[in-house]
Amino acid sequence: MTSPISRSSARTPWLLVVVLAAAVLVCSSLFSFRSFSRSTALVRRTADVQVELQRLLTSLVNAETGQRGYLLSGEEEFLEPYHAGVHEAESRLSRLRELLAHDGGRLRSLVDLDALTDRWFANLARLIELRRQGRVKDALDLERSRLGKQTMDEIRVRVGEILDAEEALLARRRRAADRGDRVTVFLVSSSGAALGLALAVGAAAWRTSVQRRRSDAERDEVLAQLPVGVALAEPRTGAIVYANQSMKGLTGELGWLTGQASAGGRPGALRRADGQLYRPDELPLSRALRGEVVPDEEMVTTSSNGGEVWMLASAAPVHGPAGEVRFGVVVAKDMTEKRQAERALAQANDALARLNAELETRVADRTTALQQANSELEAFSYSVSHDLRAPVRAVAGYCRILDEEYAGAFDEEGRDTLARALAAARRMGQLIDDLLALSRLTRAELRRERVDLSELARGVIGELRHRHPTRDVDVRIEDGLVDLCDPRLIRVALENLLGNAWKFTSKTARAEIAFGVTQRAGAGRAYFVRDNGAGFDMEYADKLFGAFQRLHAASEFEGTGIGLAIVQRVIAKHGGRAWFDAAVGRGATLYFTLGTSSSGDA
């Protein structure tokens, strides 16, 4: 089936030209030949631009199909159509730049299309990267943002504008060719040239006609190879006068495109996206025959094997020189795979939503159970610690009475045993006091206010110097350390941190303690307490923040192992974190943050 678009209009019999040709026939024949040749070249170039634009759209759809397949499956083999589509799009854009290089205005439109295409592929690449990183939810959120669809819609609009411009340019070129033909006929008819010259003109005209028919045949061949369906109908009867192989494969029955009965007498079966059957006059091609332009309308039909075939169709009229509708053209793209991918994606989204809801329910249940267990444990700890204080104090009191009033009744071993019992009672009392402090701290409510940490630290160091007047410790406290925190809780933390530094430098010849602030990678503003005392092996650093965890024997450095657990609770209540940097025999540095309040200008 050959395309009727380029059929030549009625020609003046060339025998009349032979009779009336004049001396100017040589010039007129040369003019006609050049005009026809130039017209043919321009028409071919316009057709090439149209074909390249359609191939560009096809490559974008192929790339999108591969990308969606990868999103759904995570299998790299699905990216082969994506990479092929990217390469093909680059080739089509390069070819379009060559074809439009002579026209600055249309080349600027192509630059806009090039930028939209880059943005489109950047969005696809971002989705693929998120899927590779296992961030499926982020990929789905980005897909649901419809950024890709908006970009594709802009691409289609830009392609449509370029196609419209090319169609208008093609019409102008044909009109110019027609005017050139009329001028040639006028010159030939008025020239009265000799028969020999007229025959030369006739031969030239014949060669031009052959070239034009060859150009039409080449265009028909290109249309036949397009991956999108193309069909033309004439307005008088609505009959299909041309359809490429892709359109035949999509619809099966070409008569369905205009609502005509099939060869077997069955009426058309094209349906809307909502499943409603089209009336014959509602079909895109029927509307184009009435002069309407129909952009991007989804249609569905049933294939011979019973499966659904989805199409995205656009239709438009082809006008003649006088503005009459000469043909209606419809272009349809197979959207079946995309529809199937969208359905699969929707099912995956539903499954993911159900899974998220189930996980949230599980997390909420486990959080409630954990909170209840923590509350019960804290209540038990407080109750046990409170109830043990009285008997422990009684034991310590009786031991002191024996030591003060009956020491003479004991021998040396008895007095040593009594001293050990009194020391153990005191240690037990200290443990109970620390447990009570830890329990109260857990239940304490956080009250943030502007606190001068430098002054708090100086107060703690002053108390330590008062209790240990013989110690000579070089203490450096940075000025102006102000932050939003709970003054009571942060003092408890500083008492434990500075107390530990004071304790673990007791066997260092030149003891040094420092309190200040620094910037740490990944943590931002962090406070620190540094000493040059005993230090410890960092392999055991994670154990230090647990209750009763010690790295030094009680005979070496006194303590209950509760202090750093208290510090950890205080810092956690402020939304911060604490960590160590230490080495055996080289001291230790504890860093801590106070959450979002650590800004330095509180």
Side-chain angles (χ1 to χ4, degrees), residues 392-401 403-404 415-429:
V392 169
R393 286 178 178 174
V395 171
Y398 290 136
C399 288
R400 281 195 297 271
I401 291 173
D403 184 48
E404 293 171 359
R415 285 192 294 274
D416 181 67
T417 301
L418 181 61
R420 288 176 180 271
L422 184 58
R426 288 173 182 157
R427 178 171 172 78
M428 186 64 182

Side-chain angles (χ1 to χ4, degrees), residues 41-60:
L42 292 177
V43 168
R44 184 184 293 114
R45 180 182 299 168
T46 300
D48 288 344
V49 170
Q50 293 172 334
V51 170
E52 292 299 326
L53 287 171
Q54 293 296 340
R55 288 179 174 174
L56 173 61
L57 284 177
T58 300
S59 65
L60 294 180

Side-chain angles (χ1 to χ4, degrees), residues 184-197:
T184 300
V185 170
F186 172 77
L187 292 174
V188 171
S189 64
S190 63
S191 64
L195 178 59
L197 294 177

Side-chain angles (χ1 to χ4, degrees), residues 219-501:
R219 183 174 59 203
D220 289 347
E221 183 180 356
V222 170
L223 290 175
Q225 295 177 2
L226 283 178
V228 295
V230 180
L232 287 84
E234 60 93 16
R236 188 174 59 86
T237 64
I240 302 296
V241 295
Y242 175 82
N244 66 357
Q245 193 61 39
S246 296
M247 181 62 79
K248 295 174 183 177
L250 279 174
T251 60
E253 296 285 352
L254 294 177
W256 292 355
L257 293 174
T258 55
Q260 298 178 353
S262 67
R266 188 160 61 96
L270 288 176
R271 305 187 300 277
R272 300 180 186 273
D274 60 6
Q276 296 295 320
L277 281 172
Y278 279 100
R279 294 199 309 268
D281 60 338
E282 294 175 337
L283 289 161
L285 186 53
S286 298
R287 293 163 60 186
L289 290 173
R290 298 196 300 269
E292 297 183 40
V293 175
V294 184
D296 294 344
E297 185 161 323
E298 284 193 350
M299 302 191 300
V300 61
T301 187
T302 303
S303 66
S304 58
N305 60 10
E308 288 187 337
V309 178
W310 286 84
M311 295 174 282
L312 185 66
S314 299
V318 178
H319 296 284
E324 77 282 5
V325 176
R326 295 180 59 194
F327 302 98
V329 59
V330 61
V331 178
K333 178 173 58 178
D334 190 349
M335 302 290 289
T336 305
E337 290 187 1
K338 181 180 179 182
R339 271 288 186 164
Q340 292 172 347
E342 289 175 350
R343 287 179 181 175
L345 181 60
Q347 293 172 356
N349 287 339
D350 293 341
L352 184 60
R354 290 193 298 272
L355 179 60
N356 286 339
E358 182 181 350
L359 289 177
E360 289 175 1
T361 301
R362 291 182 181 178
V363 170
D365 293 343
R366 292 179 181 179
T367 301
T368 301
L370 181 61
Q371 290 174 345
Q372 182 178 357
N374 286 338
S375 298
E376 293 174 354
L377 183 60
E378 290 169 3
F380 176 76
S381 175
Y382 179 83
S383 176
V384 170
S385 301
H386 189 272
D387 293 344
L388 286 176
R389 295 182 74 183
V392 169
R393 286 178 178 174
V395 171
Y398 290 136
C399 288
R400 281 195 297 271
I401 291 173
L402 289 173
D403 184 48
E404 293 171 359
E405 298 183 9
Y406 301 99
F410 295 104
D411 56 13
E412 185 66 27
E413 183 178 355
R415 285 192 294 274
D416 181 67
T417 301
L418 181 61
R420 288 176 180 271
L422 184 58
R426 288 173 182 157
R427 178 171 172 78
M428 186 64 182
Q430 184 63 48
L431 280 172
I432 292 171
D433 289 342
D434 288 344
L435 280 173
L436 283 172
L438 184 60
S439 178
R440 293 191 191 102
L441 181 65
T442 301
R443 298 192 303 273
E445 182 179 355
L446 185 69
R447 300 181 183 276
R448 290 186 185 269
E449 60 182 71
R450 183 183 171 89
V451 177
D452 189 334
L453 301 182
S454 301
E455 286 301 316
L456 276 184
R458 292 189 182 97
V460 172
I461 291 297
E463 292 176 3
L464 291 171
R465 290 190 188 279
H466 180 73
R467 291 200 297 267
H468 305 276
T470 59
R471 289 283 308 275
D472 181 17
V473 181
D474 180 13
V475 180
R476 296 185 297 277
I477 298 175
E478 187 174 332
D479 293 328
L481 302 182
V482 179
D483 213 324
L484 288 176
C485 55
D486 188 308
R488 180 176 58 86
L489 295 181
I490 208 66
R491 180 178 177 85
V492 171
L494 288 176
E495 285 176 348
N496 281 279
L497 291 175
L498 294 171
N500 278 350

Side-chain angles (χ1 to χ4, degrees), residues 49 53 100 109-110 113 158-167:
V49 170
L53 287 171
L100 299 179
S109 297
L110 183 61
L113 178 60
R158 186 63 62 190
V159 169
E161 291 173 352
I162 297 176
L163 284 173
D164 290 343
E166 289 297 318
E167 195 65 37

